[in-house]
Amino acid sequence: MAGRCRIWVPTGLVVLVGPPASGKTSFVRALIAHRQIDAQAVVSSDEIRAELLSTSPAQAKSDEAEARIFEERDRRIVARLAAGRSAVAESTNVTPQARARLIAIARRFNAPVTMLRFDPDVTDLLQQYTERGRTDLAAADIRAYAAIMSRDAGADQLRSEGATSVHDVPGRRQATTPAEAAAHFSFV
């Protein structure tokens, strides 16, 4: 992202794409705190996991549990798009399969799909993960997510999958705080 140019995000589906600990949650919290989006717009798989299973992410990794979580996420996204409102899909979304599911939902409502990429340096990613204090993933898992992101979630790839627009969200590598990154975006 060059300069302080404001990026306008249209009403529709906003897909956050990035490994765990890449700054997605901090970014959406900053958007909410600055009233750029309302809290109900954010559909977080981690929050749904906590609501449905009342357990830690490490304890909720069965295929059945994951299916329930993502079915509920999809239901919430559909409800927002059907009402003509934006939905922010907050999960890793680093694989083409995860994004295809979301793009298919958006297409049902002719909603634009804006993809926001969170692609920190692996060293920064591991440091951020350690700072979060979660123990549901190992360093090897974080590296694996980063490798998938690098291989399968480049801007050109995201556009070829059906994203209306793709934007990189600055982070630690650019010496940018989540609040500063959020200030680059306006949601209409």
Side-chain angles (χ1 to χ4, degrees), residues 15-40:
V15 178
L16 306 184
V17 181
S22 59
K24 299 178 302 293
T25 301
S26 297
F27 176 75
V28 296
R29 286 181 182 154
L31 291 173
I32 293 165
H34 292 97
R35 300 175 193 248
Q36 292 168 265
I37 61 172
D38 62 77
Q40 293 75 32

Side-chain angles (χ1 to χ4, degrees), residues 80-104:
R80 289 200 56 88
L81 295 178
R85 303 174 98 175
S86 285
V88 178
E90 185 195 354
S91 45
T92 60
N93 301 312
V94 295
T95 66
Q97 297 83 3
R99 295 186 300 269
R101 182 174 176 160
L102 292 165
I103 290 166

Side-chain angles (χ1 to χ4, degrees), residues 18-178:
S22 59
K24 299 178 302 293
T25 301
S26 297
F27 176 75
V28 296
R29 286 181 182 154
L31 291 173
I32 293 165
H34 292 97
R35 300 175 193 248
Q36 292 168 265
I37 61 172
D38 62 77
Q40 293 75 32
V42 180
V43 183
S44 165
S45 59
D46 284 345
E47 288 181 13
I48 293 169
R49 181 175 290 108
E51 288 172 26
L52 294 181
L53 305 174
S54 300
T55 186
S56 74
Q59 296 169 322
K61 290 293 184 185
S62 74
D63 289 343
E64 182 180 318
E66 288 296 301
R68 278 183 61 207
I69 291 160
F70 286 97
E71 285 169 10
E72 178 60 18
R73 179 205 62 180
D74 294 354
R75 186 195 67 72
R76 293 179 188 188
I77 290 170
V78 164
R80 289 200 56 88
L81 295 178
R85 303 174 98 175
S86 285
V88 178
E90 185 195 354
S91 45
T92 60
N93 301 312
V94 295
T95 66
Q97 297 83 3
R99 295 186 300 269
R101 182 174 176 160
L102 292 165
I103 290 166
I105 292 169
R107 285 188 176 143
R108 287 172 38 199
F109 299 97
N110 294 319
V113 178
T114 302
M115 295 209 187
L116 302 181
R117 295 179 70 246
F118 296 75
D119 193 17
D121 175 76
V122 174
T123 303
D124 287 342
L125 188 61
L126 290 168
Q127 182 177 353
Q128 287 171 196
Y129 188 75
T130 301
E131 289 169 0
R132 287 173 53 187
R134 282 179 46 183
T135 58
D136 56 315
L137 296 172
D141 297 320
I142 300 297
R143 284 187 185 92
Y145 273 101
I148 293 167
M149 174 82 183
S150 179
R151 183 186 66 231
D152 293 334
D156 290 340
Q157 170 73 28
L158 299 178
R159 280 189 281 279
S160 74
E161 291 172 3
T164 308
S165 60
V166 178
H167 305 285
D168 287 332
V169 178
R172 190 176 285 197
R173 185 185 324 173
Q174 297 83 14
T176 304
T177 68

Side-chain angles (χ1 to χ4, degrees), residues 3-24:
R4 301 287 298 172
C5 214
R6 184 163 294 282
I7 295 169
W8 296 93
V9 179
T11 299
L13 180 60
V14 179
V15 178
L16 306 184
V17 181
S22 59
K24 299 178 302 293

